[in-house]
Amino acid sequence: MWYFSDEHRMLQETVRQFSQTVLAPRIETLDEKEGFHREAFPKMGELGLLGITVPEADGGAGLDAVAATLTMEEMGAVDASTTLSYLAHTILCVNQISNNGSPEQKKKYLPKLISGEHIGGMGMSEPEAGSDALGMKTKAEKKGDHYILTGTKTWITNGPDGEVFYLYAKTGPGRKDVSTFLIEKGMAGFSAGKKFSKMGMRASPTSELILNDVKVAATQRVGEEGGSIKQMMRNLDLERITIAGISLGIARASIEYATKYATERKAFGKPIGAFQQIQERLAEASAWYEACRCLTYDAAAMWDRGLLTGKAASTMAAKAKLQSAQMATQVALDAIQILGGYGYTREFPVERYMRDAKLIEIGAGTNEIMRLVIARQLLGEAADA
Amino acid sequence: MSQHGADSSEVIQELRALTRKFVERELAPLVDADEREGRFRPEIIQGLGALGLTGIPMDPTYGGSGLGYQEYCAVIEEIARVNAGYAVSVAVTGLPQMILSNFGSNEQKEKYIPLLASGAAVGAFSLSEASSGSDAASLRTTAKREGDSYVIHGTKLWTTQGDSARVIVVMARTGEPGPKGISTFLIDREKEVAGFRLGKREHKMGLHTSHTMELVFDQCRIPASQRIGDEGNGFTIAMSALDSGRITIAATALGIASAALDLALSHARQREQFGQPIGAFQGIQFLLADRATELAAARLLVERAARLRDEGKPYSLEAAQAKLYATDMAMRVTTDAVQVLGGSGYTTEFPAERYMREAKVLQIVEGTNQIQRLVIGRALLGRLGEGSK
């Protein structure tokens, strides 16, 4: 984008090279076997990617939302699965500890998360509370100097492999009585639950988190009791902007692959790119991608300049994610179509692009929830009348 | 269970019930594991054959059921509701039957149609090559006449069930470049065929119970009596097979879409968020309303093409329209079914994501949807539709 700083451009180059050399060689097998590229994390740590939004004083790179988003796009163009795990680690866990943790909590958790020795994740959704996040039922009951946590979280990216989870639970009977706890692997009564087998994003492990009377010291609570809603929602906005970056990466890779194919593949004596049906698909894809790119990086740049707060942030983030996610699925579907039979085989990456792209229409808030957020801002109280 | 707009004769209703009962009982329990492991079971085709479901439009003289394409489509749709791989396998086993019935000699008809119509043998149709997909008339595999034999040489691609098929109908070049130099041959794999071997099996996005094979012909000698129809008539035969095949692929799309819609509807009724079933939200309702309407419209297009074929009227345009619309519709319905199921729809615990992966291939096979538009455009515009050269 024209407003990228030199630092952004250098970062882009670094991530591009990292993705090509570290991620590209392994993603095909990891996707097939539902593996996890854990070894990539210490390498991201060395490049300063894991604490990308964390202030330098706390050991981070001190960069902004634009930097995080372009990292998602560059990595997402090669390996969306590992990028999704990177997002859960960096935006949902590390960024939240950095923003809301006490000095002690930061000192305890950030170093190993930022180096990549530990993998982080976040726990919000539950089997009966997906789109309706505040309907969560996981309870944290205060007992003297500790809490007892009980409940089941689901759709947890990095669930099976993570060491630290930034986890939301109810500390009261109301919808808004939400508090945050730092949960560690190995705590008695805490386990990862079943791992899901998925259509795409298969190299990003997803599982439940089961809390069976887990005793957690009160010092593990982040922020005030019952005071988590605001920071939870605000971080969802940042998640939505940055995950749109993954959609951009998938779409860009799809367009590049299909375009190259359309120049090389011949039918009826000419490259198939000479046919207007193919031209139309590529032209539409390219225009839609560019529009989403503007929307997403604008949201990130506005966020960085403090121009997006409260409902404006939620709406802009929802618009960026809604469009980018839908765009990427359609563009990847079209890439398969342009490659024809070859596109349907696993010898070419476009079918993986499509399987991965679909997730972003569901994760981090479904398209339906994005529309609801936008409609509420447009219609005010009338939207819920 | 609703058929989303199906309104049909008693025969069709009985056939649907018969097929559904069989696939629900014999196939449904196996689908998850077989899709994961890429296993095809010929006994399913034999079982369908024993019920008279693999030779629906064939003459009873040759062991067929003597019914039409409308009935055939209903059967294929019901199979596709459970597993698209078998619907495609049944459709593909139908292609050699259709080709033999229209263009074969009496000996060929008597020998092969009963085998295929009874489900005792699987059939395959081999046209595409690595550099000739949509542009089928540019195929390079050659068949040279040598006395009482032909020697076939070349490599074919995308042959559905090429590994398990006993009867493979293959197109090869016997003459000049272009469509007029192509002829049709029947490979009978009852015994080993010298010079013929299976190449790689494609590793695909979906449709894993249906194997997609490369076939390698290395100076493969077959008796001249295995040629179907006249020399040089192969392209005409292939195109007429594809016209029919398009109707059955469209029927497969109806089956997948109707299963996906039923799944999404049942989820919308049961899943509660914000204190009510998600089907109470217009965002979900209208999405389901649009997809159900498109499914009903697609069904009418498929029925029209099948009826015209049954009445012996021209149906190429209508078959292309049915294939284009029904497969695009199935892609939308299945993608939205994943969406309505949300995170659950993205997992392999529910079939929504499989439906979506299955739907995608239907936009590619039997002529990509780009080729369907070309067929429709030419039918509408005549020579003008051939476009600038």
Side-chain angles (χ1 to χ4, degrees):
Chain A
M1 302 295 288
W2 61 269
Y3 51 72
F4 282 2
S5 66
D6 288 345
E7 200 172 23
H8 287 141
R9 288 180 209 285
M10 272 169 57
L11 175 70
Q12 195 173 30
E13 196 42 53
T14 304
V15 179
R16 194 169 287 181
Q17 203 172 354
F18 164 80
S19 305
Q20 281 308 331
T21 53
V22 177
L23 301 182
R26 291 196 52 195
I27 180 54
E28 209 174 305
T29 311
L30 289 171
D31 172 63
E32 177 80 34
K33 311 264 184 227
E34 303 191 279
F36 178 51
H37 199 163
R38 192 176 176 117
E39 306 75 35
F41 280 74
K43 292 173 188 163
M44 293 179 203
E46 283 170 28
L47 298 174
L49 301 176
L50 298 179
I52 195 159
T53 56
V54 176
E56 289 177 62
D58 290 328
L63 294 172
D64 52 15
V66 167
T69 307
L70 74 82
T71 302
M72 302 295 165
E73 178 173 358
E74 291 307 324
M75 274 169 50
V78 173
D79 170 357
S81 282
T82 304
T83 315
L84 185 70
S85 281
Y86 164 73
L87 181 144
H89 175 99
T90 300
I91 302 297
L92 305 186
C93 184
V94 174
N95 182 61
Q96 281 292 65
I97 295 175
S98 169
N99 281 343
N100 308 302
S102 66
E104 294 74 29
Q105 288 167 340
K106 290 188 211 180
K107 202 181 269 174
K108 184 175 175 188
Y109 291 109
L110 287 182
K112 284 185 177 175
L113 287 168
I114 289 176
S115 71
E117 187 180 333
H118 282 175
I119 301 288
M122 182 273 276
M124 183 178 77
S125 295
E126 298 178 4
E128 301 306 320
S131 289
D132 184 10
L134 297 185
M136 68 173 75
K137 294 194 180 97
T138 296
K139 266 193 322 196
E141 262 187 282
K142 181 118 192 214
K143 295 259 170 89
D145 63 352
H146 64 268
Y147 287 85
I148 302 290
L149 270 73
T150 314
T152 301
K153 294 288 176 183
T154 197
W155 312 128
I156 311 304
T157 300
N158 299 342
D161 295 84
E163 277 79 21
V164 182
F165 295 94
Y166 194 87
L167 191 134
Y168 301 104
K170 286 276 173 75
T171 41
R175 280 176 66 79
K176 296 193 170 176
D177 294 325
V178 177
S179 304
T180 307
F181 298 89
L182 289 163
I183 304 295
E184 292 176 28
K185 181 180 180 176
M187 283 180 165
F190 175 64
S191 60
K194 70 170 172 187
K195 181 177 168 180
F196 294 103
S197 177
K198 307 192 298 300
M199 175 188 196
M201 297 291 194
R202 289 163 60 85
S204 172
T206 315
S207 72
E208 295 183 327
L209 293 180
I210 296 165
L211 299 131
N212 198 354
D213 293 332
V214 183
K215 187 176 167 183
V216 180
T219 51
Q220 295 294 97
R221 195 191 68 226
V222 180
E224 295 300 313
E225 186 175 287
S228 289
I229 296 260
K230 220 175 169 181
Q231 48 102 341
M232 179 176 101
M233 292 303 184
R234 183 144 176 88
N235 208 60
L236 282 181
D237 293 340
L238 183 64
E239 179 189 11
R240 286 166 188 167
I241 295 172
T242 49
I243 206 173
I246 305 182
S247 294
L248 294 177
I250 297 172
R252 192 181 79 201
S254 303
I255 294 168
E256 283 172 0
Y257 213 98
T259 303
K260 186 163 174 285
Y261 187 83
T263 58
E264 290 165 0
R265 171 76 177 178
K266 287 194 175 149
F268 307 102
K270 44 188 173 184
I272 60 169
F275 295 99
Q276 291 195 335
Q277 285 197 70
I278 304 295
Q279 289 173 10
E280 183 202 344
R281 297 249 168 164
L282 288 173
E284 289 285 346
S286 178
W288 198 2
Y289 160 74
E290 208 67 54
C292 288
R293 199 158 189 266
C294 292
L295 187 54
T296 302
Y297 283 106
D298 256 28
M302 287 165 79
W303 178 281
D304 291 333
R305 285 160 182 72
L307 301 172
L308 285 181
T309 50
K311 278 190 180 162
S314 301
T315 313
M316 189 72 179
K319 287 176 179 173
K321 178 179 179 290
L322 175 65
Q323 283 305 307
S324 301
Q326 293 184 95
M327 179 275 298
T329 302
Q330 188 56 54
V331 167
L333 277 167
D334 284 347
I336 297 177
Q337 192 65 25
I338 289 171
L339 267 73
Y342 292 105
Y344 198 69
T345 71
R346 295 205 174 162
E347 273 175 69
F348 293 81
V350 291
E351 64 87 31
R352 169 166 57 84
Y353 297 159
M354 192 285 266
R355 290 186 284 107
D356 290 346
K358 181 66 202 164
L359 182 275
I360 303 176
E361 295 190 70
I362 297 167
T366 61
N367 289 350
E368 288 67 30
I369 291 298
M370 298 306 104
R371 295 185 187 109
L372 195 68
V373 168
I374 298 165
R376 278 182 176 156
Q377 199 245 1
L378 292 170
L379 297 161
E381 284 175 14
D384 291 309
Chain B
M1 206 178 284
S2 82
Q3 281 304 324
H4 305 298
D7 173 22
S8 47
S9 71
E10 253 175 60
V11 175
I12 288 179
Q13 284 171 24
E14 279 169 28
L15 273 173
R16 278 186 188 281
L18 181 68
T19 311
R20 182 172 293 200
K21 196 172 155 199
F22 176 82
V23 289
E24 292 282 356
R25 197 181 56 211
E26 304 294 330
L27 181 56
L30 307 171
V31 164
D32 281 347
D34 284 3
E35 276 290 328
R36 206 163 44 239
E37 290 150 27
R39 186 186 296 118
F40 168 70
R41 298 174 191 264
E43 59 268 29
I44 295 289
I45 302 295
Q46 287 156 14
L48 289 163
L51 297 173
L53 300 173
T54 47
I56 295 273
M58 285 299 110
D59 193 320
T61 320
Y62 300 118
S65 304
L67 296 166
Y69 256 59
Q70 295 171 84
E71 289 80 8
Y72 190 29
C73 284
V75 167
I76 286 183
E77 179 185 343
E78 289 300 326
I79 301 170
R81 279 182 60 90
V82 171
N83 184 247
Y86 283 93
V88 169
S89 291
V90 168
V92 159
T93 286
L95 286 183
Q97 299 180 51
M98 218 273 310
I99 288 170
L100 288 166
S101 149
N102 288 342
F103 304 97
S105 66
N106 284 335
E107 294 74 25
Q108 289 170 338
K109 288 184 199 180
E110 278 160 23
K111 182 164 181 193
Y112 293 110
I113 296 179
L115 263 178
L116 295 163
S118 66
V122 172
F125 175 77
S126 188
L127 172 66
S128 295
E129 298 176 6
S131 61
S132 116
S134 289
D135 185 7
S138 69
L139 63 85
R140 291 180 191 167
T141 295
T142 52
K144 261 192 216 157
R145 180 85 190 225
E146 288 185 8
D148 278 349
S149 325
Y150 280 94
V151 177
I152 303 182
H153 193 75
T155 301
K156 307 299 279 187
L157 219 56
W158 313 130
T159 307
T160 300
Q161 300 302 15
D163 50 350
S164 50
R166 169 170 164 186
V167 176
I168 304 176
V169 170
V170 58
M171 305 293 158
R173 187 165 301 284
T174 45
E176 62 186 271
K180 289 178 184 159
I182 296 169
S183 303
T184 305
F185 300 91
L186 188 152
I187 308 296
D188 180 354
R189 294 179 64 216
E190 186 190 17
K191 292 177 198 144
E192 195 180 329
V193 180
F196 169 87
R197 68 181 168 82
L198 297 172
K200 67 170 175 184
R201 182 170 134 202
E202 300 292 345
H203 193 29
K204 309 192 298 298
M205 180 182 184
L207 221 76
H208 300 304
T209 57
S210 162
H211 296 176
T212 307
M213 302 300 301
E214 182 183 62
L215 305 181
V216 182
F217 295 88
D218 184 8
Q219 307 293 346
C220 171
R221 185 177 294 273
I222 59 163
S225 59
Q226 296 295 88
R227 193 189 71 223
I228 302 174
D230 295 332
E231 244 192 41
N233 202 28
F235 195 71
T236 308
I237 292 175
M239 290 304 115
S240 88
L242 287 179
D243 278 346
S244 297
R246 280 164 193 163
I247 303 178
T248 56
I249 291 298
T252 305
L254 296 181
I256 299 174
S258 124
L261 185 59
D262 280 341
L263 178 65
L265 285 170
S266 123
H267 189 80
R269 286 188 195 103
Q270 285 160 19
R271 170 76 175 174
E272 292 195 7
Q273 289 286 274
F274 305 103
Q276 50 190 333
I278 60 170
F281 295 102
Q282 290 194 334
I284 302 294
Q285 271 174 35
F286 291 2
L287 186 131
L288 292 169
D290 282 347
R291 298 298 89 85
T293 306
E294 291 168 14
L295 171 53
R299 185 180 300 288
L300 293 175
L301 285 176
V302 176
E303 284 173 3
R304 178 182 69 160
R307 195 181 60 246
L308 287 170
R309 191 183 190 286
D310 289 342
E311 289 169 355
K313 293 177 182 160
Y315 65 95
S316 293
L317 166 66
E318 291 78 5
Q321 287 177 333
K323 197 268 182 183
L324 172 64
Y325 189 80
T327 59
D328 282 354
M329 174 281 297
M331 194 71 242
R332 286 191 295 272
V333 173
T334 55
T335 304
D336 284 347
V338 172
Q339 192 66 25
V340 170
L341 267 73
S344 300
Y346 198 68
T347 69
T348 57
E349 275 174 66
F350 293 82
E353 61 88 30
R354 169 166 65 82
Y355 297 149
M356 186 177 165
R357 289 184 288 107
E358 289 172 344
K360 183 66 222 176
V361 82
L362 304 181
Q363 295 179 303
I364 296 168
V365 296
E366 237 76 355
T368 63
N369 283 4
Q370 282 63 41
I371 292 297
Q372 307 308 321
R373 293 187 179 93
L374 208 67
V375 169
I376 297 164
R378 283 175 182 172
L380 295 172
L381 295 162
R383 283 186 64 105
L384 186 60
E386 305 268 333
S388 54
K389 293 286 178 186

